[in-house]
mmCIF file of all heavy atoms in Angstrom:
data_model
loop_
_atom_site.group_PDB
_atom_site.id
_atom_site.type_symbol
_atom_site.label_atom_id
_atom_site.label_comp_id
_atom_site.label_asym_id
_atom_site.label_seq_id
_atom_site.Cartn_x
_atom_site.Cartn_y
_atom_site.Cartn_z
ATOM 1 N N THR A 150 149.278 11.031 -25.950
ATOM 2 C CA THR A 150 150.260 11.410 -24.844
ATOM 3 C C THR A 150 149.429 12.196 -23.706
ATOM 4 O O THR A 150 148.808 13.295 -24.062
ATOM 5 C CB THR A 150 151.357 12.264 -25.341
ATOM 6 O OG1 THR A 150 151.957 11.609 -26.341
ATOM 7 C CG2 THR A 150 152.278 12.504 -24.125
ATOM 8 N N PRO A 151 149.237 11.739 -22.479
ATOM 9 C CA PRO A 151 148.482 12.357 -21.568
ATOM 10 C C PRO A 151 149.004 13.597 -20.945
ATOM 11 O O PRO A 151 148.221 14.488 -20.364
ATOM 12 C CB PRO A 151 148.200 11.314 -20.453
ATOM 13 C CG PRO A 151 149.408 10.429 -20.521
ATOM 14 C CD PRO A 151 149.847 10.440 -22.009
ATOM 15 N N TRP A 152 150.346 13.838 -20.919
ATOM 16 C CA TRP A 152 151.014 15.062 -20.394
ATOM 17 C C TRP A 152 152.094 15.450 -21.212
ATOM 18 O O TRP A 152 152.961 14.776 -21.579
ATOM 19 C CB TRP A 152 151.474 14.804 -19.064
ATOM 20 C CG TRP A 152 151.943 15.953 -18.167
ATOM 21 C CD1 TRP A 152 151.126 16.511 -17.151
ATOM 22 C CD2 TRP A 152 153.161 16.667 -18.255
ATOM 23 N NE1 TRP A 152 151.763 17.601 -16.816
ATOM 24 C CE2 TRP A 152 152.977 17.802 -17.193
ATOM 25 C CE3 TRP A 152 154.362 16.581 -19.017
ATOM 26 C CZ2 TRP A 152 154.043 18.619 -17.097
ATOM 27 C CZ3 TRP A 152 155.321 17.441 -18.730
ATOM 28 C CH2 TRP A 152 155.174 18.442 -17.820
ATOM 29 N N ILE A 153 152.002 16.776 -21.523
ATOM 30 C CA ILE A 153 152.995 17.460 -22.370
ATOM 31 C C ILE A 153 153.472 18.852 -21.871
ATOM 32 O O ILE A 153 152.679 19.584 -21.494
ATOM 33 C CB ILE A 153 152.455 17.702 -23.882
ATOM 34 C CG1 ILE A 153 151.946 16.331 -24.464
ATOM 35 C CG2 ILE A 153 153.554 18.191 -24.843
ATOM 36 C CD1 ILE A 153 151.079 16.482 -25.647
ATOM 37 N N GLY A 154 154.800 18.991 -21.868
ATOM 38 C CA GLY A 154 155.382 20.234 -21.390
ATOM 39 C C GLY A 154 156.277 20.864 -22.528
ATOM 40 O O GLY A 154 156.774 20.095 -23.306
ATOM 41 N N GLY A 155 156.233 22.082 -22.692
ATOM 42 C CA GLY A 155 157.020 22.910 -23.727
ATOM 43 C C GLY A 155 157.461 24.211 -23.356
ATOM 44 O O GLY A 155 156.799 24.844 -22.444
ATOM 45 N N ILE A 156 158.339 24.725 -24.066
ATOM 46 C CA ILE A 156 158.866 26.275 -23.973
ATOM 47 C C ILE A 156 158.005 27.071 -24.944
ATOM 48 O O ILE A 156 158.120 26.734 -26.129
ATOM 49 C CB ILE A 156 160.315 26.342 -24.034
ATOM 50 C CG1 ILE A 156 161.027 25.562 -22.861
ATOM 51 C CG2 ILE A 156 160.664 27.820 -23.846
ATOM 52 C CD1 ILE A 156 162.462 25.518 -22.959
ATOM 53 N N GLY A 157 157.414 28.075 -24.597
ATOM 54 C CA GLY A 157 156.693 28.859 -25.637
ATOM 55 C C GLY A 157 155.910 30.053 -25.052
ATOM 56 O O GLY A 157 155.440 30.036 -23.868
ATOM 57 N N ASP A 158 155.695 31.082 -25.959
ATOM 58 C CA ASP A 158 154.948 32.178 -25.489
ATOM 59 C C ASP A 158 153.550 32.208 -25.973
ATOM 60 O O ASP A 158 152.644 32.821 -25.602
ATOM 61 C CB ASP A 158 155.648 33.592 -25.995
ATOM 62 C CG ASP A 158 156.861 33.714 -25.183
ATOM 63 O OD1 ASP A 158 157.004 33.590 -23.905
ATOM 64 O OD2 ASP A 158 157.892 34.304 -25.845
ATOM 65 N N ASP A 159 153.304 31.364 -27.045
ATOM 66 C CA ASP A 159 151.947 31.304 -27.700
ATOM 67 C C ASP A 159 150.955 30.567 -26.828
ATOM 68 O O ASP A 159 151.331 29.597 -26.252
ATOM 69 C CB ASP A 159 152.088 30.594 -29.099
ATOM 70 C CG ASP A 159 152.984 31.340 -30.051
ATOM 71 O OD1 ASP A 159 153.006 32.571 -30.014
ATOM 72 O OD2 ASP A 159 153.482 30.712 -30.935
ATOM 73 N N TYR A 160 149.784 31.106 -26.911
ATOM 74 C CA TYR A 160 148.743 30.503 -26.126
ATOM 75 C C TYR A 160 148.569 28.995 -26.598
ATOM 76 O O TYR A 160 148.272 28.716 -27.796
ATOM 77 C CB TYR A 160 147.393 31.248 -26.362
ATOM 78 C CG TYR A 160 146.186 30.483 -25.652
ATOM 79 C CD1 TYR A 160 146.057 30.289 -24.242
ATOM 80 C CD2 TYR A 160 145.165 30.008 -26.532
ATOM 81 C CE1 TYR A 160 145.060 29.683 -23.776
ATOM 82 C CE2 TYR A 160 144.157 29.413 -25.843
ATOM 83 C CZ TYR A 160 143.980 29.233 -24.564
ATOM 84 O OH TYR A 160 142.974 28.676 -23.969
ATOM 85 N N PRO A 161 148.648 27.989 -25.793
ATOM 86 C CA PRO A 161 148.626 26.547 -26.179
ATOM 87 C C PRO A 161 147.232 25.901 -26.067
ATOM 88 O O PRO A 161 147.174 24.722 -26.726
ATOM 89 C CB PRO A 161 149.554 25.971 -25.108
ATOM 90 C CG PRO A 161 149.312 26.633 -23.774
ATOM 91 C CD PRO A 161 149.030 28.081 -24.273
ATOM 92 N N GLY A 162 146.182 26.519 -25.584
ATOM 93 C CA GLY A 162 144.994 25.915 -25.471
ATOM 94 C C GLY A 162 145.216 24.621 -24.658
ATOM 95 O O GLY A 162 145.726 24.569 -23.644
ATOM 96 N N SER A 163 144.655 23.549 -25.231
ATOM 97 C CA SER A 163 144.810 22.131 -24.577
ATOM 98 C C SER A 163 145.895 21.358 -25.089
ATOM 99 O O SER A 163 146.121 20.221 -24.773
ATOM 100 C CB SER A 163 143.518 21.452 -24.987
ATOM 101 O OG SER A 163 142.260 22.054 -24.479
ATOM 102 N N LEU A 164 146.834 22.013 -25.763
ATOM 103 C CA LEU A 164 147.992 21.211 -26.360
ATOM 104 C C LEU A 164 149.164 21.021 -25.328
ATOM 105 O O LEU A 164 149.826 20.063 -25.360
ATOM 106 C CB LEU A 164 148.453 21.912 -27.521
ATOM 107 C CG LEU A 164 147.592 22.035 -28.742
ATOM 108 C CD1 LEU A 164 148.276 22.656 -29.911
ATOM 109 C CD2 LEU A 164 147.035 20.593 -29.074
ATOM 110 N N LEU A 165 149.274 21.992 -24.434
ATOM 111 C CA LEU A 165 150.312 21.778 -23.399
ATOM 112 C C LEU A 165 149.705 21.691 -21.996
ATOM 113 O O LEU A 165 148.806 22.451 -21.650
ATOM 114 C CB LEU A 165 151.261 22.904 -23.387
ATOM 115 C CG LEU A 165 152.143 23.057 -24.764
ATOM 116 C CD1 LEU A 165 152.924 24.367 -24.655
ATOM 117 C CD2 LEU A 165 153.019 21.863 -24.962
ATOM 118 N N ASP A 166 150.161 20.757 -21.189
ATOM 119 C CA ASP A 166 149.875 20.912 -19.742
ATOM 120 C C ASP A 166 150.797 21.823 -18.914
ATOM 121 O O ASP A 166 150.458 22.443 -17.818
ATOM 122 C CB ASP A 166 150.095 19.415 -19.164
ATOM 123 C CG ASP A 166 149.119 18.444 -19.811
ATOM 124 O OD1 ASP A 166 147.912 18.432 -19.437
ATOM 125 O OD2 ASP A 166 149.527 17.712 -20.724
ATOM 126 N N LEU A 167 152.066 22.033 -19.432
ATOM 127 C CA LEU A 167 152.976 22.936 -18.737
ATOM 128 C C LEU A 167 153.509 23.725 -19.997
ATOM 129 O O LEU A 167 154.112 23.346 -20.950
ATOM 130 C CB LEU A 167 154.070 22.243 -18.201
ATOM 131 C CG LEU A 167 155.208 22.966 -17.651
ATOM 132 C CD1 LEU A 167 154.770 24.098 -16.611
ATOM 133 C CD2 LEU A 167 156.338 22.130 -17.189
ATOM 134 N N ARG A 168 153.276 25.175 -19.798
ATOM 135 C CA ARG A 168 153.888 26.036 -20.749
ATOM 136 C C ARG A 168 154.862 26.835 -19.891
ATOM 137 O O ARG A 168 154.628 27.599 -19.130
ATOM 138 C CB ARG A 168 152.788 27.134 -21.276
ATOM 139 C CG ARG A 168 153.540 28.242 -22.142
ATOM 140 C CD ARG A 168 152.563 29.065 -22.815
ATOM 141 N NE ARG A 168 151.739 29.944 -21.949
ATOM 142 C CZ ARG A 168 151.076 30.895 -22.169
ATOM 143 N NH1 ARG A 168 151.003 31.429 -23.469
ATOM 144 N NH2 ARG A 168 150.439 31.699 -21.224
ATOM 145 N N HIS A 169 156.152 26.430 -20.157
ATOM 146 C CA HIS A 169 157.319 27.052 -19.387
ATOM 147 C C HIS A 169 157.797 28.330 -20.022
ATOM 148 O O HIS A 169 158.006 28.328 -21.472
ATOM 149 C CB HIS A 169 158.511 25.983 -19.392
ATOM 150 C CG HIS A 169 159.663 26.520 -18.559
ATOM 151 N ND1 HIS A 169 159.592 26.631 -17.228
ATOM 152 C CD2 HIS A 169 160.878 26.914 -19.051
ATOM 153 C CE1 HIS A 169 160.728 27.037 -16.773
ATOM 154 N NE2 HIS A 169 161.534 27.307 -17.876
ATOM 155 N N ARG A 170 158.001 29.476 -19.453
ATOM 156 C CA ARG A 170 158.537 30.604 -19.967
ATOM 157 C C ARG A 170 159.714 31.013 -19.161
ATOM 158 O O ARG A 170 159.592 31.710 -18.166
ATOM 159 C CB ARG A 170 157.404 31.686 -19.919
ATOM 160 C CG ARG A 170 156.159 31.144 -20.559
ATOM 161 C CD ARG A 170 155.013 32.126 -20.308
ATOM 162 N NE ARG A 170 154.933 33.280 -21.309
ATOM 163 C CZ ARG A 170 153.963 34.123 -21.370
ATOM 164 N NH1 ARG A 170 152.909 34.113 -20.673
ATOM 165 N NH2 ARG A 170 154.102 35.111 -22.238
ATOM 166 N N PRO A 171 160.994 30.699 -19.738
ATOM 167 C CA PRO A 171 162.181 30.879 -18.949
ATOM 168 C C PRO A 171 162.639 32.286 -18.971
ATOM 169 O O PRO A 171 162.264 33.093 -19.852
ATOM 170 C CB PRO A 171 163.088 29.811 -19.651
ATOM 171 C CG PRO A 171 162.701 29.912 -21.037
ATOM 172 C CD PRO A 171 161.160 29.916 -20.904
ATOM 173 N N ASP A 172 163.679 32.575 -18.171
ATOM 174 C CA ASP A 172 164.384 33.751 -18.216
ATOM 175 C C ASP A 172 165.181 33.701 -19.665
ATOM 176 O O ASP A 172 165.890 32.891 -19.916
ATOM 177 C CB ASP A 172 165.566 33.790 -17.039
ATOM 178 C CG ASP A 172 166.403 34.911 -17.134
ATOM 179 O OD1 ASP A 172 166.385 35.739 -18.091
ATOM 180 O OD2 ASP A 172 166.935 35.261 -16.038
ATOM 181 N N THR A 173 165.002 34.859 -20.432
ATOM 182 C CA THR A 173 165.595 34.838 -21.755
ATOM 183 C C THR A 173 167.050 34.955 -21.774
ATOM 184 O O THR A 173 167.705 34.761 -22.783
ATOM 185 C CB THR A 173 164.887 36.037 -22.488
ATOM 186 O OG1 THR A 173 165.223 37.282 -21.749
ATOM 187 C CG2 THR A 173 163.449 35.913 -22.764
ATOM 188 N N ASP A 174 167.684 35.380 -20.681
ATOM 189 C CA ASP A 174 169.222 35.505 -20.603
ATOM 190 C C ASP A 174 169.936 34.286 -20.174
ATOM 191 O O ASP A 174 171.034 34.177 -20.129
ATOM 192 C CB ASP A 174 169.565 36.576 -19.627
ATOM 193 C CG ASP A 174 169.141 37.966 -20.175
ATOM 194 O OD1 ASP A 174 169.063 38.167 -21.394
ATOM 195 O OD2 ASP A 174 168.870 38.856 -19.310
#
Side-chain angles (χ1 to χ4, degrees):
T150 307
W152 191 96
I153 304 168
I156 299 173
D158 291 322
D159 295 332
Y160 174 66
S163 300
L164 295 181
L165 296 179
D166 298 280
L167 169 64
R168 179 176 61 164
H169 180 76
R170 305 174 81 172
D172 183 339
T173 56
D174 292 330

